[in-house]
Amino acid sequence: MRRLLPVLLLLPLLGLPAGALAQARFSLPETGRMRVVTRALGWTVLRDSAAPADAAETAMILIRAQRPVPPAARPGHLGRLLPGLRPFHFARLPAEGEIRLAGLPGQVIEAPATGQPSGAPVRVRAICLFGRERSWLLVASAPAGEWPALEPELARVLEGFRPG
């Protein structure tokens, strides 16, 4: 119970109801380079295990379960959400595209950004999947110059996402 207490105290900060922790499970394939490095504060983070230790930016994937988004609030949802992500600064976001992944409808945006706090240019592909019980935010990024080489591997991980 002592180990569970800090997690229960964090649940209101994560925006998840107390019973949601067990329900927010998902599966995700790791690859030769993309490995889970942490699960904290509602985020699951995969990083490029082959990136140099001193790299200003590395390829990464961020995943988080969120409250469900009602159908009427879905248009523009992802575009409103992305500017609030601290690891990135977007000068301008393109319109959202439609996507279907893991049996769920969603939105996708791919755009250039500036990594924070490095200031290095990165490329970001963000997906929001809409389920009845919750929505899922999946964000893949890589240094802009490495994106063409890493994009197929990042796409494989994203396409392998399955809600629990």
Side-chain angles (χ1 to χ4, degrees):
M1 182 65 177
R2 279 189 170 165
R3 282 188 248 172
L4 186 57
L5 188 58
V7 173
L8 293 175
L9 293 173
L10 282 175
L11 288 176
L13 299 175
L14 299 176
L16 297 171
L21 190 61
Q23 298 171 353
R25 295 192 178 151
F26 59 88
S27 63
L28 183 74
E30 290 182 300
T31 66
R33 290 182 72 164
M34 299 306 297
R35 299 278 179 204
V36 172
V37 295
T38 191
R39 288 186 173 96
L41 299 174
W43 291 97
T44 296
V45 180
L46 290 83
R47 285 220 180 250
D48 181 359
S49 61
D54 62 347
E57 291 288 337
T58 65
M60 71 176 170
I61 296 176
L62 307 168
I63 300 171
R64 183 171 183 172
Q66 302 181 127
R67 293 181 179 153
V69 178
R74 292 176 183 175
H77 174 76
L78 186 56
R80 290 186 301 272
L81 188 65
L82 288 180
L85 288 181
R86 284 188 247 168
F88 312 106
H89 171 72
F90 297 93
R92 197 173 124 264
L93 288 172
E96 299 158 337
E98 299 293 319
I99 190 169
R100 188 157 192 88
L101 185 64
L104 297 173
Q107 299 168 336
V108 61
I109 291 178
E110 186 171 316
T114 303
Q116 300 299 314
S118 72
V122 295
R123 186 86 184 161
V124 175
R125 178 176 299 150
I127 298 171
C128 187
L129 299 175
F130 304 113
R132 259 186 37 205
E133 307 261 334
R134 70 187 28 82
S135 295
W136 297 91
L137 179 61
L138 296 83
V139 181
S141 70
E146 296 175 38
W147 180 263
L150 289 167
E151 188 276 336
E153 190 159 358
L154 295 170
R156 271 194 305 278
V157 174
L158 294 175
E159 290 164 5
F161 171 82
R162 298 293 179 265

Short mmCIF file of all heavy atoms in Angstrom, two decimals, residues 123-151:
data_model
loop_
_atom_site.label_atom_id
_atom_site.label_comp_id
_atom_site.label_asym_id
_atom_site.label_seq_id
_atom_site.Cartn_x
_atom_site.Cartn_y
_atom_site.Cartn_z
N ARG A 123 11.34 17.24 -36.33
CA ARG A 123 10.10 16.94 -37.07
C ARG A 123 9.21 16.17 -36.11
O ARG A 123 9.68 15.30 -35.37
CB ARG A 123 10.42 16.09 -38.30
CG ARG A 123 9.26 15.86 -39.21
CD ARG A 123 9.14 17.00 -40.17
NE ARG A 123 7.94 16.84 -41.01
CZ ARG A 123 7.42 17.84 -41.66
NH1 ARG A 123 7.96 19.03 -41.60
NH2 ARG A 123 6.36 17.66 -42.39
N VAL A 124 7.91 16.47 -36.11
CA VAL A 124 6.98 15.86 -35.17
C VAL A 124 5.79 15.29 -35.94
O VAL A 124 5.26 15.96 -36.84
CB VAL A 124 6.47 16.90 -34.14
CG1 VAL A 124 5.40 16.31 -33.24
CG2 VAL A 124 7.62 17.45 -33.32
N ARG A 125 5.39 14.08 -35.60
CA ARG A 125 4.13 13.50 -36.06
C ARG A 125 3.31 13.21 -34.81
O ARG A 125 3.73 12.42 -33.97
CB ARG A 125 4.33 12.23 -36.85
CG ARG A 125 3.00 11.60 -37.31
CD ARG A 125 3.19 10.38 -38.18
NE ARG A 125 3.91 10.75 -39.38
CZ ARG A 125 4.74 9.92 -40.05
NH1 ARG A 125 4.93 8.69 -39.63
NH2 ARG A 125 5.37 10.34 -41.12
N ALA A 126 2.17 13.87 -34.70
CA ALA A 126 1.30 13.70 -33.53
C ALA A 126 -0.03 13.10 -33.97
O ALA A 126 -0.58 13.49 -35.01
CB ALA A 126 1.06 15.04 -32.84
N ILE A 127 -0.51 12.17 -33.17
CA ILE A 127 -1.77 11.48 -33.46
C ILE A 127 -2.62 11.52 -32.19
O ILE A 127 -2.12 11.24 -31.10
CB ILE A 127 -1.52 10.01 -33.87
CG1 ILE A 127 -0.68 9.95 -35.14
CG2 ILE A 127 -2.84 9.26 -34.02
CD1 ILE A 127 -0.20 8.55 -35.50
N CYS A 128 -3.87 11.84 -32.34
CA CYS A 128 -4.82 11.71 -31.24
C CYS A 128 -5.88 10.71 -31.70
O CYS A 128 -6.53 10.92 -32.73
CB CYS A 128 -5.46 13.05 -30.88
SG CYS A 128 -6.48 12.93 -29.39
N LEU A 129 -6.01 9.62 -30.95
CA LEU A 129 -7.00 8.59 -31.25
C LEU A 129 -8.17 8.75 -30.29
O LEU A 129 -7.96 8.96 -29.09
CB LEU A 129 -6.39 7.20 -31.11
CG LEU A 129 -5.23 6.90 -32.05
CD1 LEU A 129 -4.63 5.53 -31.73
CD2 LEU A 129 -5.68 6.96 -33.49
N PHE A 130 -9.38 8.62 -30.81
CA PHE A 130 -10.58 8.86 -30.02
C PHE A 130 -11.31 7.56 -29.72
O PHE A 130 -11.85 6.93 -30.63
CB PHE A 130 -11.51 9.82 -30.75
CG PHE A 130 -10.86 11.11 -31.13
CD1 PHE A 130 -10.63 11.44 -32.45
CD2 PHE A 130 -10.44 12.00 -30.15
CE1 PHE A 130 -10.03 12.63 -32.81
CE2 PHE A 130 -9.83 13.20 -30.49
CZ PHE A 130 -9.64 13.52 -31.82
N GLY A 131 -11.33 7.18 -28.46
CA GLY A 131 -12.09 6.02 -28.02
C GLY A 131 -13.24 6.45 -27.13
O GLY A 131 -13.32 7.61 -26.73
N ARG A 132 -14.14 5.53 -26.84
CA ARG A 132 -15.28 5.86 -25.98
C ARG A 132 -14.87 6.14 -24.55
O ARG A 132 -15.36 7.06 -23.92
CB ARG A 132 -16.27 4.68 -25.98
CG ARG A 132 -17.43 4.92 -26.88
CD ARG A 132 -18.48 3.85 -26.80
NE ARG A 132 -18.68 3.33 -25.45
CZ ARG A 132 -19.14 2.13 -25.19
NH1 ARG A 132 -19.47 1.34 -26.16
NH2 ARG A 132 -19.31 1.73 -23.95
N GLU A 133 -13.93 5.35 -24.04
CA GLU A 133 -13.52 5.47 -22.63
C GLU A 133 -12.39 6.47 -22.43
O GLU A 133 -12.24 7.01 -21.34
CB GLU A 133 -13.08 4.10 -22.10
CG GLU A 133 -14.12 3.03 -22.32
CD GLU A 133 -14.92 2.78 -21.07
OE1 GLU A 133 -14.40 3.03 -19.98
OE2 GLU A 133 -16.07 2.32 -21.22
N ARG A 134 -11.58 6.67 -23.46
CA ARG A 134 -10.45 7.61 -23.36
C ARG A 134 -9.92 7.91 -24.75
O ARG A 134 -10.20 7.21 -25.71
CB ARG A 134 -9.33 7.05 -22.49
CG ARG A 134 -8.57 5.89 -23.07
CD ARG A 134 -7.59 5.26 -22.12
NE ARG A 134 -7.93 5.40 -20.74
CZ ARG A 134 -8.79 4.63 -20.05
NH1 ARG A 134 -9.37 3.65 -20.67
NH2 ARG A 134 -9.05 4.84 -18.79
N SER A 135 -9.14 8.96 -24.81
CA SER A 135 -8.42 9.30 -26.03
C SER A 135 -6.95 8.99 -25.77
O SER A 135 -6.51 8.89 -24.63
CB SER A 135 -8.60 10.79 -26.35
OG SER A 135 -9.94 11.06 -26.65
N TRP A 136 -6.21 8.87 -26.84
CA TRP A 136 -4.79 8.55 -26.74
C TRP A 136 -4.00 9.58 -27.54
O TRP A 136 -4.34 9.86 -28.69
CB TRP A 136 -4.51 7.16 -27.32
CG TRP A 136 -5.18 6.07 -26.58
CD1 TRP A 136 -6.42 5.54 -26.82
CD2 TRP A 136 -4.67 5.38 -25.45
NE1 TRP A 136 -6.69 4.56 -25.91
CE2 TRP A 136 -5.64 4.43 -25.06
CE3 TRP A 136 -3.49 5.47 -24.72
CZ2 TRP A 136 -5.46 3.58 -23.98
CZ3 TRP A 136 -3.30 4.62 -23.65
CH2 TRP A 136 -4.28 3.68 -23.28
N LEU A 137 -2.94 10.11 -26.94
CA LEU A 137 -2.03 11.01 -27.63
C LEU A 137 -0.74 10.27 -27.90
O LEU A 137 -0.12 9.74 -26.97
CB LEU A 137 -1.76 12.26 -26.78
CG LEU A 137 -0.80 13.28 -27.38
CD1 LEU A 137 -1.34 13.83 -28.70
CD2 LEU A 137 -0.54 14.40 -26.39
N LEU A 138 -0.33 10.21 -29.15
CA LEU A 138 0.91 9.57 -29.56
C LEU A 138 1.72 10.61 -30.33
O LEU A 138 1.22 11.18 -31.31
CB LEU A 138 0.65 8.37 -30.48
CG LEU A 138 -0.11 7.19 -29.89
CD1 LEU A 138 -1.60 7.41 -29.95
CD2 LEU A 138 0.25 5.93 -30.63
N VAL A 139 2.95 10.86 -29.90
CA VAL A 139 3.77 11.89 -30.53
C VAL A 139 5.14 11.30 -30.83
O VAL A 139 5.85 10.84 -29.93
CB VAL A 139 3.96 13.12 -29.61
CG1 VAL A 139 4.79 14.18 -30.31
CG2 VAL A 139 2.60 13.69 -29.18
N ALA A 140 5.52 11.29 -32.10
CA ALA A 140 6.85 10.84 -32.52
C ALA A 140 7.63 12.06 -32.98
O ALA A 140 7.09 12.95 -33.64
CB ALA A 140 6.74 9.84 -33.66
N SER A 141 8.90 12.11 -32.62
CA SER A 141 9.75 13.22 -33.07
C SER A 141 11.16 12.72 -33.30
O SER A 141 11.56 11.68 -32.77
CB SER A 141 9.77 14.36 -32.04
OG SER A 141 10.48 13.98 -30.89
N ALA A 142 11.88 13.47 -34.10
CA ALA A 142 13.29 13.17 -34.38
C ALA A 142 13.94 14.45 -34.87
O ALA A 142 13.27 15.34 -35.40
CB ALA A 142 13.42 12.07 -35.43
N PRO A 143 15.26 14.55 -34.70
CA PRO A 143 15.96 15.70 -35.28
C PRO A 143 15.62 15.80 -36.77
O PRO A 143 15.54 14.78 -37.47
CB PRO A 143 17.43 15.35 -35.05
CG PRO A 143 17.43 14.44 -33.86
CD PRO A 143 16.17 13.64 -33.99
N ALA A 144 15.39 17.01 -37.23
CA ALA A 144 14.93 17.22 -38.60
C ALA A 144 15.82 16.53 -39.63
O ALA A 144 15.30 15.90 -40.56
CB ALA A 144 14.83 18.72 -38.90
N GLY A 145 17.12 16.59 -39.48
CA GLY A 145 18.03 15.97 -40.44
C GLY A 145 18.01 14.45 -40.40
O GLY A 145 18.38 13.80 -41.37
N GLU A 146 17.56 13.87 -39.30
CA GLU A 146 17.51 12.41 -39.17
C GLU A 146 16.13 11.83 -39.45
O GLU A 146 15.97 10.62 -39.52
CB GLU A 146 17.96 12.02 -37.75
CG GLU A 146 19.40 12.39 -37.45
CD GLU A 146 19.76 12.10 -36.00
OE1 GLU A 146 19.30 11.08 -35.46
OE2 GLU A 146 20.49 12.92 -35.41
N TRP A 147 15.12 12.70 -39.57
CA TRP A 147 13.76 12.24 -39.76
C TRP A 147 13.60 11.28 -40.93
O TRP A 147 12.99 10.22 -40.79
CB TRP A 147 12.80 13.43 -39.91
CG TRP A 147 11.38 13.02 -40.10
CD1 TRP A 147 10.71 12.92 -41.29
CD2 TRP A 147 10.44 12.66 -39.08
NE1 TRP A 147 9.41 12.52 -41.07
CE2 TRP A 147 9.22 12.35 -39.72
CE3 TRP A 147 10.50 12.55 -37.69
CZ2 TRP A 147 8.09 11.96 -39.03
CZ3 TRP A 147 9.36 12.17 -37.00
CH2 TRP A 147 8.18 11.87 -37.67
N PRO A 148 14.15 11.58 -42.13
CA PRO A 148 13.94 10.66 -43.26
C PRO A 148 14.42 9.23 -42.97
O PRO A 148 13.76 8.27 -43.35
CB PRO A 148 14.74 11.29 -44.40
CG PRO A 148 14.78 12.75 -44.06
CD PRO A 148 14.88 12.78 -42.55
N ALA A 149 15.53 9.09 -42.27
CA ALA A 149 16.05 7.76 -41.98
C ALA A 149 15.28 7.07 -40.84
O ALA A 149 15.11 5.85 -40.85
CB ALA A 149 17.54 7.85 -41.60
N LEU A 150 14.81 7.84 -39.87
CA LEU A 150 14.14 7.27 -38.70
C LEU A 150 12.63 7.13 -38.87
O LEU A 150 11.99 6.35 -38.16
CB LEU A 150 14.42 8.12 -37.47
CG LEU A 150 15.84 8.03 -36.93
CD1 LEU A 150 16.10 9.13 -35.92
CD2 LEU A 150 16.08 6.66 -36.32
N GLU A 151 12.03 7.87 -39.78
CA GLU A 151 10.57 7.88 -39.92
C GLU A 151 9.97 6.49 -40.12
O GLU A 151 8.95 6.18 -39.49
CB GLU A 151 10.17 8.82 -41.06
CG GLU A 151 8.68 9.06 -41.17
CD GLU A 151 7.94 7.99 -41.94
OE1 GLU A 151 8.57 7.31 -42.78
OE2 GLU A 151 6.72 7.84 -41.71
#
